[in-house]
Amino acid sequence: MRGFFDTKIEFLKGVGPQKSALLNKELNIFTFGDLIQHYPFRYEDRTKFFKIGDLHEGLPNVQIRGTLKHLETVGSGRKKRLAAQLSDETGSVELVWFKGIKWVQKKLQSGAEYVAFGKPSRYGRKINIAHPELEVFTPGHQQEGYLQPVYHTSEKLKARFLDSRAIGKLQKQLLTQALPKIAESLPVYLIDRLALMSKRQAVQHIHFPKDQSHLQKARWRLKFEELFYVQLRLLKLKLARVDKFPSRPFQETSFIHEFYHHHLPFELTNAQKKVIKEIYRDLRSGNQMNRLLQGDVGSGKTVVAFICMLTVIGGGSQAALMAPTEILAEQHYRGLKEYADKLGLTIAILTGSTKKSVRRDLHQELEEGSLHILIGTHALLEDPVQFKSLGLAVIDEQHRFGVAQRAKLWSKNRDFYPHVLVMTATPIPRTLAMTLYGDLDVSVIDELPPGRKPIETVHRYDSNRLKVFGFMKDQIKQGRQIYIVYPLIEESEKMDLKHLQDGYESILRAFPQVPVSIVHGKMKSADKDYEMQRFVRAETKIMVATTVIEVGVNVPNASVMIIENAERFGLAQLHQLRGRVGRGADQSYCILMTDYKISKEGRTRIQTMVRTNNGFEIADVDLKLRGPGDLMGTQQSGVLDLLISDLSQDGKLLQVARQEAQSVLQDDPQLMTPENENIRRQVALQPKSNINWSRIS
Ligand code: ADP
Ligand code: MG
């Protein structure tokens, strides 16, 4: 059966080599199967017709019906075009074509009744429709509830007459042959229990729905199937991993007791205790831990990581912590050194700027095992860095690291697989986490340390800048420090740097008595660090910066975050930036500055920030605004190549699919029973992913 669906698309009647090359290139359609899976992305209710006399340029795409007249070419050379009038009892409108004139002209018939579909625009004093979709009127057009599928296409395809409607025609033709050959791809017991449409029916109604209710059922069925197989694949890997990757069990607790009872400067939150327990269970188990630790900015992930390192060190192994930037690595190093010193443990830092001689000693201490903890940037991954016995690798702010880099950490221990803890402050919505990290265990710190006052967030227009300056003066008088952040993106780097510089100068003018720091990515790393350090030591009161300060920087005395051109930042970034304040005991503020003119989406982002401090709520809005493909770190994952499901909409369905996949695997882990034959066949058909999911954190 598969043979038929693998037939090259050029063998479909009406396609041929030229169109097939374009379909390959533009839509990734190579085979019959690919075309069938090119589902419509929306449907239009084509039962309603606009009166031609009511048309105006403000309307979106409209459908009209009328008699075609005066078909003729006008103008010459580059201005040559084909024009016609379409008239009903209320008026007439001009239809025009600039391309493919000959072909259109040959097909159209003056005097016949047509249905036209397109966007009215104004040309001089008249309304016209350029390149409308046109079809001879048939009684079928008035059939109740008729939904016209709309397919993605491209300008190049349209120029070859493969517009949405033409693709629909190809589908219709292909489906007459294909439908009888479509085999059921879910087990019958699932179809019965969940009252799903059959695969064959679903494919038919997704392309040519009989009515809304059939369309909904078809969608539900195809989405369920898609999500079910994604989850099945991830869960199977998870099972496989538990079997295949043993690690050394760690259960030593004497360091922890000493640290916890004598040195820890605060009480752990319940959420911190809970995740520490979850991590311990993994470390003790004898199987490799692959755990994602999610926790909002400031929730106290670092100390959790440290406490976990203590078990491993107590058991005679070493621990490493990898951070995305030097600034962050240094901050971790300074913070953790304080703890480590108290316990008599050795700790070192390794970054790109570590001197050769220091590096050489460090490599030796690592190999001998006299160095317990190594903090660093991706410099940790370089080949000369070899541990005597790496027991735990912690990765902070995971989204900055590539998949391959993470996998490399695994090779740092030749005797057993090191445990891996990935920490992220990017609040990934549950639905997405389940898909992206479906094979990882997830722990969540869902509570902030006590005594933190929620950050107050406001939106101010640029015209109110003087008031904002007044507020800043007041805060500085009270001893606080302030961040001012400017956007900087590659495409507009020059302009952005200029804005930053202008902003810096205007701050110097407005605050002549106040020491001010400036930090941006184009500075030398030594200069950057110097300025950073001055701010950390409170020698400077205002820090003007780009997003280099986004991740991890911890200055508890800084209580005001001002974000310039806030509309240009994404929600995740705004949330990260805001998280730089609110770390001390004082009331903190976040001021989002914008022009009066901002896009609707920009406004939604600002309003969301003003409304809530909850990272997960923000992540959900973000997902809805941007769609999952754009979320940080998800692009290269491959799991998100979903045909029909939309993780921002289909969270509930995803949960159902995951539960079902779980229970199927529970009853039949190897998928050997006759009832699961359909699953077995489908799994065998799935292309082997070139990412080895079990081997990446
Ligand atoms: P993040 O999760 O963003 O990495 P950090 O680990 O940097 O957060 O912690 C933020 C601050 O909160 C640090 O100064 C840390 O010492 C402090 N902290 C962590 N846990 C607690 C706690 N249970 N009680 C009080 N302060 C805490
Ligand atoms: Mg952190």
Side-chain angles (χ1 to χ4, degrees):
M1 274 312 141
R2 191 65 208 166
F4 174 81
F5 295 98
D6 285 339
T7 313
K8 286 214 178 73
I9 195 68
E10 70 171 286
F11 299 118
L12 186 64
K13 200 168 152 260
V15 176
Q18 275 188 351
K19 283 185 181 176
S20 103
L22 268 176
L23 284 169
N24 295 172
K25 207 162 139 252
E26 298 285 302
L27 297 176
N28 252 326
I29 293 173
F30 291 88
T31 63
F32 284 7
D34 292 341
L35 181 63
I36 291 175
Q37 292 202 326
H38 186 63
Y39 300 141
F41 70 102
R42 65 187 170 86
Y43 304 81
E44 271 160 5
D45 184 348
R46 292 293 179 86
T47 52
K48 298 190 180 58
F49 295 97
F50 256 85
K51 292 277 172 251
I52 291 175
D54 292 341
L55 295 184
H56 58 85
E57 59 180 334
L59 290 170
N61 282 336
V62 293
Q63 180 170 256
I64 50 179
R65 172 186 160 190
T67 313
L68 193 81
K69 285 182 227 162
H70 309 301
L71 185 66
E72 58 189 0
T73 47
V74 286
S76 63
R78 288 180 56 205
K79 291 207 169 143
K80 188 168 159 186
R81 62 189 191 276
L82 177 68
Q85 296 291 323
L86 194 74
S87 320
D88 65 8
E89 68 281 5
T90 64
S92 73
V93 63
E94 189 180 51
L95 309 178
V96 279
W97 292 264
F98 305 99
K99 284 185 194 153
I101 292 177
K102 262 194 201 146
W103 188 81
V104 179
Q105 198 164 20
K106 222 166 44 196
K107 278 189 52 169
L108 294 183
Q109 241 185 324
S110 251
E113 197 170 8
Y114 282 93
V115 170
F117 182 83
K119 162 104 185 76
S121 24
R122 174 172 292 279
Y123 184 73
R125 297 182 53 198
K126 284 190 297 190
I127 296 290
N128 72 19
I129 299 179
H131 288 257
E133 287 177 26
L134 222 50
E135 217 171 55
V136 175
F137 177 79
T138 63
H141 282 102
Q142 277 172 321
Q143 182 193 317
E144 195 59 35
Y146 173 69
L147 292 166
Q148 168 94 39
V150 184
Y151 295 93
H152 277 299
T153 172
S154 72
E155 287 310 315
K156 281 200 184 132
L157 284 168
K158 280 188 206 160
R160 283 266 151 204
F161 315 113
L162 278 171
D163 58 9
S164 167
R165 194 163 283 222
I167 292 176
K169 282 211 177 110
L170 293 180
Q171 297 282 16
K172 194 160 243 166
Q173 183 201 322
L174 175 57
L175 283 182
T176 17
Q177 302 171 62
L179 277 179
K181 298 189 168 67
I182 290 179
E184 184 48 61
S185 46
L186 284 171
V188 178
Y189 64 89
L190 269 184
I191 292 184
D192 286 349
R193 185 146 49 77
L194 300 171
L196 297 172
M197 202 178 235
S198 74
K199 174 74 172 258
R200 201 171 291 169
Q201 270 189 315
V203 170
Q204 172 167 18
H205 288 287
I206 202 75
H207 287 290
F208 304 104
K210 185 160 160 257
D211 52 35
Q212 276 293 345
S213 114
H214 280 77
L215 175 60
Q216 292 319 324
K217 281 212 176 107
R219 269 208 179 123
W220 175 265
R221 144 81 209 211
L222 293 172
K223 285 178 177 188
F224 173 84
E225 172 176 344
E226 181 167 54
L227 296 171
F228 173 82
Y229 279 109
V230 168
Q231 291 301 328
L232 193 80
R233 189 168 60 148
L234 292 167
L235 289 166
K236 271 185 65 159
L237 283 170
K238 193 165 164 175
L239 284 180
R241 201 189 63 219
V242 171
D243 294 343
K244 278 195 204 125
F245 303 118
S247 183
R248 178 189 289 178
F250 292 100
Q251 43 210 352
E252 238 300 309
T253 53
S254 54
F255 278 126
I256 294 171
H257 279 292
E258 190 189 340
F259 179 68
Y260 193 75
H261 294 295
H262 302 293
H263 305 299
L264 186 63
F266 41 71
E267 180 67 17
L268 292 175
T269 62
N270 285 331
Q272 284 171 316
K273 288 182 190 161
K274 180 194 72 189
V275 304
I276 289 172
K277 269 195 203 126
E278 287 167 359
I279 296 170
Y280 276 178
R281 211 176 302 139
D282 290 355
L283 294 179
R284 266 204 306 269
S285 71
N287 290 321
Q288 188 198 28
M289 169 171 79
N290 273 284
R291 192 170 277 279
L292 178 74
L293 175 58
Q294 261 189 291
D296 215 341
V297 278
S299 60
K301 294 184 291 294
T302 318
V303 73
V304 168
F306 182 73
I307 290 175
C308 298
M309 289 177 177
L310 294 180
T311 326
V312 170
I313 296 167
S317 277
Q318 295 157 295
L321 190 162
M322 188 160 78
T325 64
E326 286 199 14
I327 292 179
L328 197 54
E330 261 166 48
Q331 193 170 292
H332 274 311
Y333 172 68
R334 251 179 288 116
L336 295 186
K337 186 165 176 11
E338 237 175 79
Y339 294 156
D341 285 350
K342 288 182 177 149
L343 295 169
L345 299 178
T346 49
I347 182 167
I349 178 165
L350 175 68
T351 69
S353 44
T354 305
K355 288 208 184 67
K356 249 203 179 141
S357 55
V358 178
R359 214 176 261 247
R360 212 177 312 118
D361 293 347
L362 218 147
H363 289 163
Q364 199 179 343
E365 286 164 31
L366 275 179
E367 282 187 50
E368 287 168 7
S370 56
L371 186 60
H372 298 124
I373 304 172
L374 182 63
I375 313 287
T377 55
H378 47 265
L380 291 190
L381 297 173
E382 285 160 16
D383 289 330
V385 181
Q386 291 297 335
F387 294 77
K388 176 161 185 242
S389 168
L390 179 64
L392 171 66
V394 181
I395 304 172
D396 195 15
E397 306 297 350
Q398 171 268 342
H399 59 266
R400 299 278 171 114
F401 288 105
V403 161
Q405 290 177 310
R406 277 178 261 144
K408 215 170 166 198
L409 268 176
W410 282 52
S411 62
K412 293 284 170 187
N413 188 333
R414 279 172 243 111
D415 299 331
F416 61 92
Y417 293 114
H419 298 285
V420 178
L421 182 67
V422 180
M423 305 198 293
T424 177
T426 309
I428 305 160
R430 262 190 69 78
T431 50
L432 194 58
M434 252 163 41
T435 304
L436 269 186
Y437 303 107
D439 65 323
L440 277 191
D441 299 301
V442 180
S443 289
V444 182
I445 305 185
D446 51 7
E447 179 185 5
L448 292 181
R452 301 257 171 90
K453 297 196 181 85
I455 302 161
E456 227 172 82
T457 304
V458 293
H459 176 200
R460 293 281 178 265
Y461 292 113
D462 293 339
S463 52
N464 286 326
R465 192 169 296 280
L466 280 183
K467 273 202 185 143
V468 173
F469 280 179
F471 175 74
M472 290 167 62
K473 282 191 181 128
D474 200 50
Q475 287 286 308
I476 292 170
K477 218 182 273 164
Q478 291 181 36
R480 304 285 98 79
Q481 289 168 277
I482 297 171
Y483 293 106
I484 306 178
V485 177
Y486 281 82
L488 193 155
I489 56 168
E490 232 166 90
E491 293 89 76
S492 52
E493 193 179 274
K494 268 204 183 128
M495 274 310 277
D496 286 349
L497 278 172
K498 186 175 175 309
H499 286 150
L500 175 80
Q501 196 62 34
D502 290 351
Y504 174 60
E505 279 159 23
S506 80
I507 291 292
L508 291 181
R509 280 194 301 274
F511 298 83
Q513 312 296 336
V514 177
V516 182
S517 280
I518 179 166
V519 169
H520 57 80
K522 292 280 137 190
M523 287 163 68
K524 285 210 192 82
S525 132
D527 297 340
K528 230 169 26 188
D529 285 357
Y530 173 76
E531 284 299 323
M532 234 23 243
Q533 288 313 327
R534 291 207 316 147
F535 189 69
V536 170
R537 290 193 297 259
E539 289 166 16
T540 53
K541 301 296 174 190
I542 300 176
M543 160 70 73
V544 179
T546 56
T547 50
V548 288
I549 63 147
E550 180 190 337
V551 178
V553 176
N554 191 13
V555 182
N557 189 50
S559 65
V560 182
M561 168 62 66
I562 298 174
I563 304 175
E564 298 283 347
N565 291 114
E567 79 282 359
R568 286 182 54 197
F569 291 89
L571 267 173
Q573 234 180 349
L574 288 172
H575 182 64
Q576 286 286 331
L577 284 168
R578 180 168 61 182
R580 298 303 110 218
V581 297
R583 303 185 148 236
D586 310 296
Q587 176 63 53
S588 293
Y589 304 90
C590 174
I591 303 175
L592 305 170
M593 304 290 300
T594 74
D595 193 0
Y596 278 113
K597 269 192 291 187
I598 39 180
S599 70
K600 197 167 153 240
E601 206 190 298
R603 200 167 284 279
T604 307
R605 287 196 296 264
I606 305 276
Q607 283 164 351
T608 305
M609 289 295 293
V610 171
R611 185 183 73 235
T612 178
N613 272 307
N614 181 326
F616 287 92
E617 200 178 325
I618 290 169
D620 270 329
V621 176
D622 199 27
L623 185 60
K624 291 211 171 84
L625 284 179
R626 296 202 292 169
D630 275 349
L631 275 192
M632 247 188 260
T634 63
Q635 287 91 332
Q636 79 281 50
S637 66
V639 255
L640 288 177
D641 288 343
L642 296 173
L643 280 177
I644 183 164
S645 313
D646 173 356
L647 292 174
S648 62
Q649 312 283 333
D650 300 326
K652 278 226 184 73
L653 185 53
L654 176 62
Q655 245 152 320
V656 176
R658 185 176 175 86
Q659 266 159 22
E660 294 298 343
Q662 228 152 8
S663 88
V664 166
L665 283 176
Q666 213 153 39
D667 296 345
D668 182 14
Q670 302 301 324
L671 302 172
M672 298 298 277
T673 63
E675 296 88 75
N676 286 329
E677 199 209 314
N678 287 352
I679 297 187
R680 216 160 42 237
R681 191 158 21 86
Q682 193 63 19
V683 169
L685 283 178
Q686 280 180 349
K688 291 269 176 295
S689 161
N690 49 9
I691 304 172
N692 186 344
W693 281 88
S694 61
R695 299 225 68 187
I696 54 173
S697 48

